[in-house]
Structure formats: C-alpha cells, structure tokens
C-alpha cells in the first residue's frame, strides 16, 4: 500500500532551480532592489575598469612623450658643453635644500618641507621667467611676443 501520492521524478529534478526562484521573486516584487544589488555593482565595476584602462593609456602616452623630451633635452645640454653641464645642476640646487630640510626637520619636517618647496619653486619659476624673457628679447622679430606677454601680465 502506498502512503500517499508519489512525487514525479521531474519535480525533484527542479531542486537546483530553487535559488533562481528567490531571484525571480525579488525581481518581481522589488526590481529596484535587485538592480541596485546586482546590476549597480556590475556597472560601477565596469566603469572603474574602463576608467583605469584609459588612465593607464594616458599615463603610458605621457611616459613616452616625457621620455622623448628628456632625451631631447639631454642631447641639447650635451651639445651646449660646459653651459649644459651648469644647467644640468640647476634642479639639484632646488631639490637638495628641500631634501635636507625634510631629512633634518624632525616632527616639523612636512610643514618645513612644504614651505621650502614653495619658496624654491617660486625662485625657480622666477628664474625660468627671466631666462625665457631674455631669450625672447634676443631673438630678432620676437618683440610682438614680448609685448604680448607684457600686456597679458598687466
């Protein structure tokens, strides 16, 4: 004698679909929550992956360009001979004092280094401005550029 109705085998084969039923119930009852939990994370991850890839491409291009500029400047400084060697020491004149302040500053090193970097950077920008302005003044026919810079600064 049978104890009751027997369950067909195909119903027992549906057991692996139980987690999908919960997902379908969530989609049917609260689609906004399901989108936020599943698609939102996917979209944000993909957007960040794409942004990271694009930033990597930009950094790669910047690296290539700066490498080529560095090679060009090195060959220019080498061609200038002793003057080029003197110009090659200029970044050290700015960097070394800031580094020494950072190393010997103790607890105040970050603030002292920031102040020293601002002062050294201001001096460097001033020197570069004077050199560029003097270089433009020497070039024949560059008076328009020099006057344009002067009117822009005023």
């Amino acid at each position: 004698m049978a104890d009751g109705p027997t369950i067909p085998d195909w119903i027992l084969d549906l057991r692996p679909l139980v987690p999908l039923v919960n997902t379908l119930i969530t989609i049917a009852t609260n689609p906004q929550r399901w989108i936020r939990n599943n698609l939102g994370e996917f979209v944000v991850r993909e957007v960040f992956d794409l942004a990271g890839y694009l930033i990597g491409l930009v950094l790669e291009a910047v690296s290539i360009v700066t490498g080529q500029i560095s090679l060009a400047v090195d060959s220019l400084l080498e061609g200038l001979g002793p003057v080029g060697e003197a110009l090659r020491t200029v970044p050290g004149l700015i960097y070394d004092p800031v580094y020494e302040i950072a190393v010997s500053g103790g607890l105040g090193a970050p603030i002292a280094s920031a102040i020293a970097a601002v002062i050294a950077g201001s001096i460097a920008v001033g020197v570069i401005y004077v050199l560029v302005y003097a270089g433009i003044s020497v070039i024949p026919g560059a008076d328009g550029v020099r006057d344009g810079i002067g009117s822009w600064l005023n």
Side-chain angles (χ1 to χ4, degrees):
M1 271 191 136
D3 290 318
T6 59
I7 299 174
D9 289 338
W10 65 271
I11 292 180
L12 296 176
D13 292 338
L14 295 176
R15 255 189 223 161
L17 299 177
V18 170
L20 292 177
V21 171
N22 289 334
T23 302
L24 292 174
I25 290 172
T26 304
I27 291 172
T29 58
N30 194 353
Q32 187 178 17
R33 184 176 126 213
W34 184 82
I35 289 172
R36 219 178 308 140
N37 288 345
N38 296 307
L39 289 181
E41 179 183 334
F42 172 77
V43 169
V44 169
R45 184 177 60 242
E46 292 302 317
V47 166
F48 280 133
D49 286 347
L50 177 65
Y53 178 74
L54 293 176
I55 289 171
L57 287 177
V58 168
L59 291 177
E60 179 92 17
V62 167
S63 172
I64 291 170
V65 170
T66 55
Q68 295 304 315
I69 290 173
S70 176
L71 288 175
V73 169
D74 280 345
S75 63
L76 175 70
L77 290 177
E78 193 173 308
L80 290 176
V83 175
E85 290 301 318
L87 289 175
R88 201 180 293 257
T89 62
V90 170
L93 294 173
I94 297 167
Y95 173 77
D96 291 340
V98 174
Y99 179 76
E100 290 301 321
I101 290 172
V103 170
S104 65
L107 292 176
I111 295 170
S113 299
I115 292 170
V118 167
I119 292 170
S122 300
I123 292 170
V125 167
V127 168
I128 290 169
Y129 173 76
V130 168
L131 290 175
V132 168
Y133 195 77
I136 290 175
S137 298
V138 171
I139 298 172
D143 296 334
V145 175
R146 188 181 63 215
D147 294 339
I149 292 172
S151 65
W152 180 70
L153 290 174
N154 293 331

